Amino acid sequence: MTTLHDKGGSALPPLPENWERCLAVASHPDDIEYGAASAVARWTAQGKQVTYLLVTRGEAGIDGLHPDEAGPLREAEERAGAREVGVGTVEFLDGHRDGMIEEGPALRRDIVRAIRRHRPEVVVTGAYTVRMIAGVVNQADHRVVGLATLDAARDAGNRWIFPELAEEGLEPWGGVRFVAVAGTDRPTHGVDITGEPLERGIASLAAHAEYTKGLGAGAFEPRPFLTWAARQGGPALGVEAAVLFDVHQLAFDGPPPWEQ
């Protein structure tokens, strides 16, 4: 993996942290743990509230285990991993199959519903591009959920998109300032996870022991992999270890440019 410094770029700015509530949306248990959970550990240590929303229970993720058994197992591992980084609320959607998540209004509505309920200022999700870091091909579920989350963050503030949610008592929420996308090959911001946040992130991924064991020879050991990835990201932020994000701003922080 190359860093921005390898490409001759300048250091990235830190991701803004003047907010209180975050919703992290992912396709499967363990998606957040492959890097972003270390940033979550930093934020919860600051007293911020972070909630996880999983679109599936990852039931198709263990080749040697039937989905009826794998789903509850992976749900339990996700809740355990979330606790390692200070996240107490982990929600799972129903009606979306692991490996078969469909793009469309049903998925977007479910994510909008969660955004209106939790009213986050920041939304975190995964890369929706065909390629991720280092050119690795992205999974179909990741692409669908990442883009749906980006769109849902804006839709949540429009009362005429999914007006039926108001009948559930969920008024529009236009307070999402930005969406931070993890795992992209074109990051714009970074989060310093040197020290304790990285250690807690490693513990969070280690909680997915049965899942990673089920990957066989293709599995990543949590400590060496996450340490390597964090040290690859660090130089772009000028620190020892960092998680990098592509930040999509949904509202101006301060006056718009034409009024400055």
Side-chain angles (χ1 to χ4, degrees):
M1 180 191 300
T2 56
T3 67
L4 287 187
H5 289 274
D6 295 326
K7 298 176 181 178
S10 58
L12 296 179
L15 186 145
E17 293 183 331
N18 56 339
W19 49 269
E20 297 300 325
R21 297 182 306 280
C22 170
L23 177 68
V25 184
S27 307
H28 320 106
D30 87 287
D31 286 352
I32 299 169
E33 285 70 25
Y34 276 99
S38 294
V40 171
R42 172 186 169 98
W43 298 331
T44 58
Q46 295 171 346
K48 302 184 191 304
Q49 177 184 321
V50 181
T51 299
Y52 284 2
L53 177 70
L54 283 298
V55 175
T56 77
R57 289 167 172 77
E59 64 273 11
I62 302 178
D63 183 68
L65 203 59
H66 191 277
D68 289 347
E69 299 176 76
L73 170 63
R74 297 200 66 196
E75 178 178 342
E77 289 190 332
E78 180 62 21
R79 295 187 188 281
R83 287 193 295 270
E84 293 287 350
V85 292
V87 175
T89 301
V90 181
E91 298 179 352
F92 292 83
L93 296 179
D94 293 318
H96 304 280
R97 289 178 54 197
D98 181 13
M100 300 291 290
I101 300 175
E102 295 184 4
E103 180 180 3
L107 173 61
R108 233 174 348 121
R109 182 190 298 110
D110 282 347
I111 300 172
V112 168
R113 181 182 285 111
I115 292 172
R116 288 191 180 187
R117 188 170 64 252
H118 294 290
R119 304 171 79 82
E121 299 156 83
V122 172
V123 171
V124 170
T125 193
Y128 50 82
T129 51
V130 174
R131 289 187 176 90
M132 297 190 299
I133 295 174
V136 174
V137 175
N138 203 358
Q139 293 182 16
D141 282 356
H142 296 168
R143 301 199 304 269
V144 170
V145 170
L147 189 56
T149 300
L150 181 62
D151 291 336
R154 186 178 298 279
D155 293 346
N158 188 329
R159 71 173 60 254
W160 305 120
I161 300 177
F162 309 124
E164 62 272 24
L165 295 180
E167 298 174 8
E168 300 177 16
L170 297 172
E171 288 299 312
W173 172 247
V176 177
R177 289 169 47 197
F178 60 84
V179 178
V181 180
T184 72
D185 60 354
R186 295 182 180 274
T188 62
H189 293 71
V191 177
D192 184 356
I193 59 167
T194 305
E196 184 65 18
L198 176 57
E199 288 299 314
R200 293 176 67 192
I202 292 169
S204 185
L205 181 56
H208 294 263
E210 290 301 316
Y211 169 68
T212 53
K213 184 172 67 176
L215 295 177
F220 294 117
E221 287 292 328
R223 179 169 296 280
F225 172 73
L226 290 179
T227 300
W228 170 81
R231 289 178 177 170
Q232 288 290 318
L237 197 62
V239 299
E240 180 181 327
V243 176
L244 307 182
F245 294 90
D246 183 10
V247 172
H248 297 259
Q249 191 169 304
L250 298 186
F252 290 113
D253 278 337
W258 56 89
E259 293 182 1
Q260 296 178 14

